[in-house]
Amino acid sequence: MKAVLFAILFVISVHLVAQTRVIGHVTNKKGEPIVGVNIFFKDTYDGGISDINGYFEVLTPTLGELILVASFIGYKPFEQEISTGDHHIDILLKESTQSIEAVTVTAGNFAAGDKHKASVMKSRDIYTTAGSLGSITGALNTLPGTQQANDDGRLLVRGGEAYETKTVIDGVLAGKPYYSKVPDVPTRGRFSPSLFSGVMFNTGGYSAEYGQALSSVLVLESNDLFTEDVLSLSLMSLGAEANITETWKNNSISILGSYINMAAYYGMVKTKFDWEKPTEAGSASIIYRHKTKTNGMLKAYFTADVGETRFKTNGGVDDIWYTTESKNNNYYGNITYRQPLNDNTSIKAGVSITIDNPDITYASQHIRNRETNSESRAMLIHELGDGIKLRYGVSNTLTDYSQTYRAHPDSSDFNPQFQDFLSGAFAESQLQLSGNMALSTGVRYEYSSLLKRSSLAPRLGMAVATGKRSQISASYGHFYQNPHPDELKFSSDLNFERATHYILGYQTGSMDERFFRIESYYKKYSQLVKYDGQELYDAEYYNNTGSGEAIGLDLFWRDNESIKFLEYWLSYSYIDTHRKYKSFDFRAQPGFVSNHNFSAVGKYWISAVRCLLGGTYWIASGRNWYENTSNGKITHPGDVTHELNLNLSHITQVFGNQTIIHLSLSNALGSKNVYGYQQSPVRKSDGASVYLPITNDIQQFAFIGIFITLK
């Protein structure tokens, strides 16, 4: 018993004599004391916190080699090995670039979707924005940097044509994201917003991961694995849509189908066309998702759509009408895979294919295209320590194009065709230099087998925090793109078209409360394709001597907090742009560009009746249009256009099933907008051209939909 008591007393005496004591001072890189830092000995319960002056004292009776740890939110953890005894340690804590307030490069980027912390728009905004009619493009056109072009329906970004914006799904190309465009009628996107959890809309200065886009890239991120079975039915005034999703362990499969027929609608309203075959279209999709045991994701998406329309238009001469007919079969598929290889490295890979077969008759002309776009790509992502990310990868894109063109039923066929293998490689770094500064650098290389030319495109982005929720962000980069197929089919002895982007912006606030953003940009175009308008079929008349520029200012304000149940955003864009390209022999403002664009979007939740009321008003300055005369092109200014769109969504139940009843009315004020004038295919008896006004095919458009979730 005495021996045991002696042993206990001995141990106590040793701990009383042989303890570890550390005193010191905690500061940041500016030498300022940090209050409340947690300082402790690793794997023990012994420690303390720094006082108001940053001083601390901690003790432990534990013997042997120890590790002193200092941790504080927003700073990198500090660790130092020490031995038993007394120590004086001054600790310098470095800011953690992974803190929640870390700045990120945002110049030129608009995030949309619930996965993005900086989302300007949420996923539901795409459906609930009045006037969007469930189109991703329709909702994005309320953001600054875009053109309100109801006569087109595609994304027109910062002075760029529609083909200058590329669409990618889960990182791989979607070659034909819109239905075939025919004169007089706007088109819309092929892909349903419900397929995607996130949208990254780059108005310029985009990542080196992507190429072949002079203006912008629209990045769509599809939904991951579904965890619940779903059966839904949509009954619309234009047709119907059904969706069924089945899930099992780490797998899900979705099958979607839709049918649209405008015959009944066109029979009730007045349009500017004489419809011989009202628009009829059908589509089917299948999506498979598999989550691997090591937290990877495999996705396979395949969709097909077919459509047909035929109508007559008044040619403007002696009551002569001409026919426009469009038939289109389109097929798209992709398989993508992402997988973490270890704690710091992951891989993303994918393949996609687009097969597009439009068959268009326009007056006497008959055009039948066969175009295949296929892309494969692979990318590695490395997290190298705190705030350092490296990404690099390769891609290969095949374009196989052929056309059968007949100018008149009695003329012979013209059969241009080409094939191009575009090889690409990129490397990019994202560096969080501190919690207040971020840097993004990258470079992209491409080689075209058709053009027999290569390009090297540097990219640079930087952001500096100016406050807790504010920052200045800037981007610079070179961007290259193959000439349009309408030009490559005549001549392949061309170079890449090129644009250089300079972007500077400031933003402040929180997306969930109030948010403000202002951004200026300058785009310089060079190597644009130019040709003699009278010699379209002669390859010798095509060259890359075209040039241009665009300078602009974008403003965006969103407020979700000031008025309960009300959220709204305002956007304004100013652009001054001119190009000397194509058949223009002078520097002209493209006919699809308005110098001023303003949009106001509002949504108000009426809880008493479970309704969401929405409205969108936009106004745009007039666009120039151009008349071809014997003395060259003559410029004509256009008129101001504007439109008010309204919608109402009511949440209810039908036979115990959650149901949404959606009503929308486009152009509620009945504005008679004229977006410009286009040359009629019908000429006067003396050979003079006739120009027809470009207007809405329907003055007002009403839509009713009932969306039922059956399980």
Side-chain angles (χ1 to χ4, degrees), residues 307-324:
E308 182 178 0
T309 187
R310 184 173 65 255
F311 56 88
K312 287 185 175 181
T313 306
N314 192 320
V317 179
D318 299 328
D319 200 31
I320 297 175
W321 293 68
Y322 62 88
T323 299
T324 300

Side-chain angles (χ1 to χ4, degrees), residues 569-581:
W569 67 81
L570 308 173
S571 68
Y572 167 76
S573 296
Y574 167 76
I575 182 172
D576 182 18
T577 180
H578 295 84
R579 294 189 187 189
K580 188 177 181 180
Y581 75 139

Side-chain angles (χ1 to χ4, degrees), residues 404-422:
T404 300
Y405 174 78
R406 182 175 293 182
H408 190 275
D410 297 329
S411 63
S412 58
D413 287 347
F414 176 59
N415 300 110
Q417 58 184 345
F418 66 84
Q419 189 177 81
D420 182 39
F421 288 93
L422 184 77

Side-chain angles (χ1 to χ4, degrees), residues 96-246:
S96 170
T97 59
Q98 301 301 320
S99 65
I100 59 174
E101 298 297 337
V103 69
T104 58
V105 179
T106 60
N109 292 332
F110 283 97
D114 300 325
K115 286 190 175 182
H116 296 282
K117 293 181 180 178
S119 292
V120 171
M121 300 174 68
K122 300 298 183 183
S123 299
R124 62 183 174 83
D125 285 326
I126 295 173
Y127 278 111
T128 58
T129 297
S132 71
L133 294 176
S135 167
I136 296 173
T137 300
L140 294 179
N141 277 336
T142 65
L143 295 180
T146 62
Q147 290 286 318
Q148 284 290 352
N150 277 12
D151 57 312
D152 191 288
R154 298 172 293 181
L155 279 172
L156 303 168
V157 182
R158 288 182 172 175
E161 296 194 33
Y163 82 95
E164 296 177 22
T165 294
K166 286 292 187 291
T167 299
V168 296
I169 297 177
D170 292 331
V172 290
L173 179 68
K176 296 292 178 180
Y178 304 101
Y179 292 101
S180 295
K181 180 72 175 73
V182 296
D184 303 316
V185 179
T187 185
R188 61 181 285 125
R190 295 183 186 275
F191 305 110
S192 170
S194 62
L195 298 174
F196 307 105
S197 61
V199 176
M200 181 64 74
F201 176 42
N202 297 269
T203 53
Y206 58 86
S207 162
E209 179 182 351
Y210 307 109
Q212 288 296 295
L214 290 184
S215 292
S216 65
V217 171
L218 177 61
V219 182
L220 304 177
E221 180 185 355
S222 70
N223 294 306
D224 281 348
L225 183 70
F226 277 94
T227 57
E228 294 182 356
D229 294 345
V230 175
L231 176 60
S232 63
L233 178 65
S234 303
L235 304 175
M236 301 169 285
S237 54
L238 310 178
E241 182 177 293
N243 172 20
I244 182 170
T245 297
E246 294 290 334

Side-chain angles (χ1 to χ4, degrees), residues 9 45 211 283 300 410 412 461 558 599 607 621-622 662 677:
L9 292 173
Y45 295 100
S283 67
D410 297 329
S412 58
R558 178 158 187 163
S599 294
S607 58
S621 59
H662 181 78
Y677 290 80

